[in-house]
Amino acid sequence: MLFEIIAGNVNDVFFINPTTGIITTKDEVDYERNNFFNLTVRATNMAAMESTCHVIIQVLDTNDNSPFFESDIYRGEISEAAPIDSLVTIAAGSSSSENAMLSFNETVPLVIKARDLDSGQNALLHFDIVEYLPRKYFHIDSSSGAIKNMKILDHEKIPFFSFNVRVSDLGK
């Protein structure tokens, strides 16, 4: 019996042993580039009779991409008169496409945005505020990236906060 891949071997990634029919990879496969392959394999016997079959190879995603922020800096604002659990909003004058579409007196919640090129559990994001002092005053929703105040703010005591947000994925 002679086995050969006759179609679907994108970028010549797979090798089939011509005698045993065992398929192995010749190169790395990457879920983000190709999440499945549909190979057509032909088997030919000594009498030159042949048959074909389709072999579908599903590529499983691994956590091989780190999450990344869509912007390096986010600017928000909140009134010192805002009640506890109020959303921080996009700062007036921020260079945000969302902010450009606002009419007078409209506000849009500030949402820290990040992406991960992996899929499934490997792409679920978790946000946290890094520094201790801002964590006493603000809470970031761990999954959405929206920020709320946890205490009444006093502009005269602390006129602004500057802090870092960490994003990680929930993959293994």
Side-chain angles (χ1 to χ4, degrees):
M1 192 73 75
L2 176 68
F3 297 94
E4 60 185 321
I5 299 172
I6 59 173
N9 196 3
V10 177
N11 297 325
D12 199 33
V13 172
F14 297 99
F15 169 78
I16 189 165
N17 181 303
T19 309
T20 64
I22 295 173
I23 298 172
T24 57
T25 56
K26 294 186 339 189
D27 202 356
E28 287 186 5
V29 293
D30 185 358
Y31 178 88
E32 286 77 29
R33 283 194 307 234
N34 225 349
N35 57 9
F36 79 96
F37 293 85
N38 187 1
L39 306 179
T40 304
V41 174
R42 177 172 46 212
T44 308
N45 67 11
M46 296 295 207
M49 298 185 66
E50 59 184 47
S51 180
T52 60
C53 72
H54 294 283
V55 177
I56 298 172
I57 299 172
Q58 180 178 355
V59 179
L60 302 177
D61 190 24
T62 60
N63 193 17
D64 59 346
N65 291 293
S66 297
F68 58 92
F69 290 101
E70 292 186 8
S71 178
D72 292 335
I73 297 174
Y74 290 86
R75 287 188 172 83
E77 62 187 13
I78 187 167
S79 169
E80 68 179 343
I84 293 174
D85 274 347
S86 295
L87 286 167
V88 173
T89 60
I90 293 175
S94 288
S95 57
S96 166
S97 58
E98 291 175 27
N99 200 30
M101 298 169 79
L102 295 178
S103 349
F104 187 67
N105 285 337
E106 281 188 273
T107 59
V108 171
L110 174 67
V111 177
I112 308 302
K113 295 182 180 173
R115 294 189 318 150
D116 190 317
L117 299 177
D118 292 316
S119 66
Q121 190 79 9
N122 296 330
L124 294 177
L125 301 179
H126 179 85
F127 296 93
D128 1 47
I129 296 172
V130 176
E131 293 85 6
Y132 175 73
L133 180 64
R135 280 198 319 255
K136 289 173 59 176
Y137 289 87
F138 297 97
H139 169 75
I140 187 166
D141 183 277
S142 62
S143 59
S144 74
I147 301 173
K148 292 181 176 183
N149 65 328
M150 294 181 4
K151 286 187 173 187
I152 297 296
L153 304 169
D154 185 344
H155 178 77
E156 286 70 38
K157 286 185 180 175
I158 305 176
F160 71 92
F161 289 86
S162 178
F163 54 88
N164 294 293
V165 172
R166 174 180 37 238
V167 64
S168 52
D169 62 45
L170 299 179
K172 293 187 171 77

